Amino acid sequence: MKNNSWMRLLIVMLAVAMIASACQKPGEGSSEDGKVEFEFWSAPNPTQQAFWSDMAKAYMKENENVKIKVTPMPESPSSEAGIQSAIAAGNAPAISENISRGFAAQLSASSAIVPLEEFDGYDELIKNREMTETMSTWKFADDHQYVLPIYSNAMLFGWRMDILKELGYDEPPKTYSEVLEMGEKLKEKHPDKFLWARADLVKPTWWARWFDFFMMYNAASKGNNFVEGEKFIADDKAGVETLGFMKNLSEKDLLLTREATDPFETGQAVMMDIGPWTFPYWADKFPEMKQGETYELSMPPVPDGVDPENAKTFADTKGLSIYASASKEQQQAAFDFVKWVYSDAENDLTWFEKTNLPPARDDLSTNETFEQYFEENPQLVKYAENIPNAVPPIDSENTVEIQEAIGKDAVNPVIKGQKEPKKAWDDMKKSIDGMLK
Amino acid sequence: MNKSNARLGWLFASPYLIYSAIFFLFPLIWATYLAFTNWNLIAPDYEFVGIQNFIEAFFSESVRAAFFVTYKFLFMFVPIVVIGSLFLAMIIHALPRFKGLYSVAFFLPYLASGVASAIVVNGILSYNSPFNIWLRGTFGLDINWLGSPILAPLIIALMMAWKFAGYYALLFVAGLESIPKDVYEAAAIDGAVGFKRFWSVTLPMLYPSFYTVTILAVGLMFGIFTEPYVLTGGGPEYATHTWQLEIYQQAFAKMNAGYGTSIAVINSVVTFASIFVFRKILEKWGARHGWE
């Protein structure tokens, strides 16, 4: 009797589990009447979701055989984790945005996303959107293109020109020695102020390296890649120089490595890494921040002897990827939708207006479509001009480990005065070599 | 029990059993299996790697940190929250009226989002906060609150204690309310007043609540995530690196789901073993004082 009850219980449990698994969304989206249905995951951001919803509606009006369901991607605990869980559960969409190059490398290594250049109309898309040069830096080590960049923020440094003018400067310093000289003058006049307030400099947070180390390394190395496939190919000289500059800033007490609230806006620090997302915040909270008066934007400083005019920077950029779990029909339909969106520069303008994120186009600063918008938002001009000078994140499936090692073995100990730049660089290189093998 | 009663029993119990099977039993079996693989959560192919993940975890600096950091949190948080919530409960219990209102007021931090609380604390402790400016200006004290390996965990422990004290105080209030007045009257006749009354009457009668609160508080420390994630990211130098942070980073940031799961399995074992040890200590302590 007792055994029978347990058996029954087990059968009930199994039946429930089977029903639960049967309730999963079917992966196929094409129906017998020739209609194609697919899901598009937008970034978990209302403005981006609104843009893609409007685009999908407009596209569906013109293409009645296509049904696009735009939903924001799950962001708990992070959008990457949400995508991973969906892939694992078989619930991945056909296409999603918000994919960084590093994450794409992880996804492509697991065959979770498909190469875009194999779709019909790929060349046409790249040509129509004027993004040949931008795409060249996006090629992955296996020669495929897994992500179509939507926007590209060429990360810049902001400078408090009102304070710099007090020190006798009319423009931001461009080289390491100019920055250090300016820093010394700053400390003489304002001992309580700092050059750069950045708590992340003493934390191993992997993504923080995009906005400190990579901005400066890209400038010092003229955009030399960091890793390629399984090889560490970074420019040793530029790397050591970057760390040496950080060491000098730290030794001269020019860095504030503590959490601080709006240090740049309050004038506690005179330099800050800035992306275009800062401007809406300033408009709301710090309307007194005016370009040319309180602040100016510049490319990252370069080592002495390197031409500042050729400086490169880090590109905070994300794009679209198409998932391998979708049917071939859904994949092509998703690609056709993207091709349609980017066939008209007006759509990029709408995106720009809604999100403030510069579309990843080579011609952004020269295309007439965007002229008026730049006149109204001159602070975005430098971002547009430097899109071709911005280097996207590394395309390694070990991105997180590599960037963690840059922090733990190099940046953090150098800033804390625990290691010399050369030793820190060598230690970091050894760690990364170990990961890539 | 006859057959139809047994059926009825199973019927009533079935929603919970089914729920447990779907959300606990199957995931547990699946996770245990995953812990022996090198699956990265999305790859179609993965290998069975035996105990390799466990060996790697054993020699990992970050896993070792998570192990010790949990006990560090535990020895900071448990005394603070138990004493704090007991003190709070005694104040609420002694109030002549509006006990419910005060209980709810102190319970509110428990409902507050951990992320929001952490952001507020971050603001209060930031370098240029009014509090720190005042400390620097008045006393010349420039304290790196979240950059110190001793202060950072203490701040997180205090923050957690603030959040949970009201909740645990409710349990103590319930315990205090259940002590019959006759017992206090009898104790007063025997001369037990003030601290003696608290030590000899209140505390022994409150032992079940004390036991529950302590075990809940101990268990809580093995699942901390939000506060260190937002405030310190596990730093400085692993000083606030918890089990959940390590599991999250391995499974979702580094995409080592198999390895991350093995750490989760180790975490479960350590949690069960630690709670078991604490229960035994509390039971022995209670028995020694005749509080069982």
Side-chain angles (χ1 to χ4, degrees):
Chain A
M1 177 62 206
K2 206 177 175 183
N3 284 342
N4 270 345
S5 303
W6 279 109
M7 276 304 289
R8 270 188 223 150
L9 178 68
L10 197 65
I11 290 164
V12 169
M13 285 177 172
L14 283 172
V16 169
M18 284 165 75
I19 292 164
S21 61
C23 287
Q24 281 183 350
K25 182 196 81 161
E28 299 74 30
S30 55
S31 60
E32 284 169 7
D33 57 4
K35 281 199 170 183
V36 186
E37 189 179 334
F38 67 87
E39 205 168 341
F40 183 110
W41 277 6
S42 73
N45 172 335
T47 52
Q48 281 164 258
Q49 196 196 344
F51 171 81
W52 288 110
S53 295
D54 292 347
M55 287 296 120
K57 271 181 209 157
Y59 185 73
M60 285 189 289
K61 256 187 198 170
E62 286 182 25
N63 299 273
E64 284 177 354
N65 60 336
V66 180
K67 193 174 173 201
I68 307 168
K69 195 177 161 202
V70 178
T71 46
M73 59 178 55
E75 56 174 333
S76 181
S78 68
S79 56
E80 283 85 0
I83 291 170
Q84 289 168 46
S85 310
I87 293 170
N91 292 325
I95 180 168
S96 84
E97 61 162 331
N98 212 31
I99 304 294
S100 74
R101 200 159 167 255
F103 185 49
Q106 292 177 316
L107 294 175
S108 69
S110 298
S111 309
I113 51 177
V114 294
L116 300 178
E117 78 279 2
E118 290 173 6
F119 284 100
D120 293 339
Y122 173 81
D123 293 334
E124 198 187 331
L125 188 159
I126 302 301
K127 194 176 150 234
N128 283 345
R129 205 190 177 206
E130 298 278 354
M131 55 192 313
T132 312
E133 204 174 327
T134 306
M135 285 305 279
S136 66
T137 55
W138 275 78
K139 194 168 258 186
F140 284 67
D142 63 0
D143 270 349
H144 288 302
Q145 294 281 17
Y146 293 100
V147 189
L148 185 86
I150 298 178
Y151 63 88
S152 179
N153 295 314
M155 287 300 299
L156 299 172
F157 277 113
W159 297 86
R160 282 296 297 251
M161 284 316 295
D162 48 351
I163 301 172
L164 259 62
K165 276 178 186 162
E166 280 178 34
L167 305 174
Y169 289 87
D170 287 328
E171 60 174 24
K174 289 175 179 168
T175 62
Y176 288 176
S177 59
E178 283 174 19
V179 174
L180 291 169
E181 190 191 306
M182 192 279 285
E184 276 173 21
K185 285 184 187 171
L186 176 76
K187 278 287 168 186
E188 268 172 34
K189 196 167 170 78
H190 302 288
D192 58 333
K193 290 193 190 299
F194 297 89
L195 179 87
W196 192 11
R198 186 165 168 80
D200 285 330
L201 285 168
V202 290
K203 291 180 188 170
T205 319
W206 70 273
W207 50 264
R209 300 295 79 86
W210 287 333
F211 308 104
D212 46 46
F213 176 80
F214 275 108
M215 277 181 78
M216 291 205 268
Y217 166 78
N218 288 335
S221 67
K222 296 175 196 160
N224 186 88
N225 215 342
F226 201 76
V227 291
E228 199 169 78
E230 300 292 296
K231 273 187 194 158
F232 178 84
I233 54 155
D235 180 336
D236 291 328
K237 185 172 174 279
V240 175
E241 275 179 330
T242 303
L243 293 176
F245 178 54
M246 289 180 172
K247 179 185 179 243
N248 285 334
L249 292 178
S250 177
E251 279 180 352
K252 290 181 187 297
D253 194 26
L254 293 171
L255 300 176
L256 174 63
T257 53
R258 305 254 296 275
E259 293 294 343
T261 312
D262 301 322
F264 184 72
E265 293 82 350
T266 55
Q268 186 104 56
V270 299
M271 181 184 104
M272 187 175 90
D273 43 296
I274 293 181
W277 54 80
T278 309
F279 304 121
Y281 175 64
W282 282 355
D284 189 31
K285 293 267 170 62
F286 298 95
E288 68 277 15
M289 296 296 283
K290 297 258 187 273
Q291 195 180 14
E293 293 172 27
T294 37
Y295 77 92
E296 198 48 85
L297 298 165
S298 80
M299 286 289 269
V302 293
D304 298 354
V306 174
D307 183 4
E309 297 305 312
N310 295 329
K312 302 279 180 188
T313 187
F314 167 72
D316 171 68
T317 172
K318 286 187 175 175
L320 291 155
S321 283
I322 293 179
Y323 292 85
S325 53
S327 68
K328 291 278 171 208
E329 220 175 346
Q330 285 175 314
Q331 290 175 0
Q332 186 63 50
F335 186 84
D336 290 343
F337 167 58
V338 172
K339 197 175 83 178
W340 176 85
V341 170
Y342 291 129
S343 63
D344 187 351
E346 286 292 336
N347 291 336
D348 265 329
L349 176 64
T350 309
W351 164 274
F352 205 3
E353 287 168 343
K354 277 195 173 173
T355 65
N356 230 21
L357 300 168
R361 304 175 62 111
D362 301 340
D363 67 341
L364 190 64
S365 61
T366 53
N367 191 315
E368 281 178 9
T369 314
F370 307 98
E371 220 168 70
Q372 198 191 333
Y373 188 65
F374 282 123
E375 277 170 23
E376 291 161 13
N377 299 277
Q379 72 278 11
L380 296 172
V381 173
K382 252 201 164 76
Y383 289 93
E385 285 171 353
N386 284 300
I387 287 175
N389 294 324
V391 182
I394 52 178
D395 68 325
S396 169
E397 57 177 308
N398 296 312
T399 296
V400 175
E401 284 96 335
I402 289 171
Q403 297 198 186
E404 208 172 70
I406 297 171
K408 240 164 70 176
D409 296 327
V411 174
N412 304 162
V414 163
I415 299 285
K416 288 177 185 168
Q418 295 164 344
K419 274 187 196 175
E420 284 303 308
K422 174 79 173 70
K423 162 100 174 70
W425 182 262
D426 290 342
D427 289 351
M428 179 205 80
K429 201 169 158 177
K430 208 170 141 192
S431 295
I432 295 173
D433 274 336
M435 286 165 204
L436 295 173
K437 268 168 199 165
Chain B
M1 190 186 288
N2 62 35
K3 213 171 174 180
S4 85
N5 275 349
R7 272 200 199 124
L8 202 63
W10 279 116
L11 185 72
F12 283 129
S14 60
Y16 180 73
L17 290 173
I18 292 166
Y19 171 83
S20 303
I22 294 173
F23 293 104
F24 294 107
L25 184 64
F26 289 132
L28 182 70
I29 295 167
W30 179 234
T32 311
Y33 167 71
L34 271 188
F36 293 93
T37 70
N38 63 359
W39 195 35
N40 70 357
L41 207 65
I42 53 173
D45 305 315
Y46 53 93
E47 292 164 18
F48 189 80
V49 294
I51 58 165
Q52 191 186 311
N53 288 335
F54 292 91
I55 294 171
E56 204 178 311
F58 186 77
F59 290 105
S60 159
E61 188 191 354
S62 50
V63 173
R64 215 165 31 235
F67 180 85
F68 289 112
V69 161
T70 304
Y71 293 111
K72 190 164 64 179
F73 271 129
L74 204 147
F75 288 113
M76 288 175 176
F77 171 76
V78 176
I80 297 170
V81 82
V82 172
I83 294 168
S85 54
L86 180 58
F87 185 65
L88 206 61
M90 289 180 76
I91 292 172
I92 294 169
H93 180 63
L95 289 171
R97 62 185 77 170
F98 304 127
K99 285 184 190 181
L101 191 69
Y102 281 98
S103 298
V104 169
F106 286 115
F107 180 73
L108 282 178
Y110 175 72
L111 301 176
S113 142
V115 176
S117 319
I119 290 171
V120 170
V121 170
N122 208 16
I124 294 170
L125 299 177
S126 72
Y127 178 77
N128 50 4
S129 69
F131 173 60
N132 273 322
I133 291 172
W134 174 75
L135 276 183
R136 282 199 297 275
T138 314
F139 304 105
L141 280 175
D142 186 14
I143 304 168
N144 190 359
W145 297 101
L146 297 173
S148 152
I150 296 165
L151 288 177
L154 184 64
I155 286 160
I156 290 172
L158 282 170
M159 202 180 137
M160 303 278 294
W162 165 78
K163 198 171 162 69
F164 281 86
Y167 171 44
Y168 294 156
L170 283 184
L171 301 177
F172 277 128
V173 168
L176 287 167
E177 299 282 341
S178 69
I179 301 173
K181 283 201 173 101
D182 310 359
V183 179
Y184 284 126
E185 283 165 10
I189 292 166
D190 290 343
V193 285
F195 182 74
K196 201 171 178 190
R197 187 178 90 153
F198 170 76
W199 185 255
S200 309
V201 181
T202 310
L203 210 54
M205 299 292 280
L206 211 55
Y207 179 71
S209 306
F210 176 78
Y211 180 90
T212 308
V213 166
T214 309
I215 295 303
L216 283 175
V218 168
L220 186 75
M221 289 298 99
F222 290 87
I224 311 175
F225 176 76
T226 313
E227 288 78 7
Y229 181 75
V230 177
L231 272 180
T232 60
E237 274 143 27
Y238 291 128
T240 56
H241 190 76
T242 63
W243 283 106
Q244 303 306 318
L245 270 181
E246 175 67 9
I247 294 165
Y248 166 75
Q249 280 173 3
Q250 290 297 344
F252 295 112
K254 298 180 182 172
M255 290 178 79
N256 297 324
Y259 179 55
T261 315
S262 71
I263 298 168
V265 169
I266 297 170
N267 174 27
S268 311
V269 173
V270 171
T271 307
F272 282 123
S274 301
I275 290 176
F276 181 78
V277 169
F278 272 92
R279 276 183 52 194
K280 286 291 155 199
I281 292 170
L282 280 177
E283 282 164 12
K284 278 202 168 179
W285 187 55
R288 191 191 297 166
H289 292 86
W291 291 352
E292 282 172 303

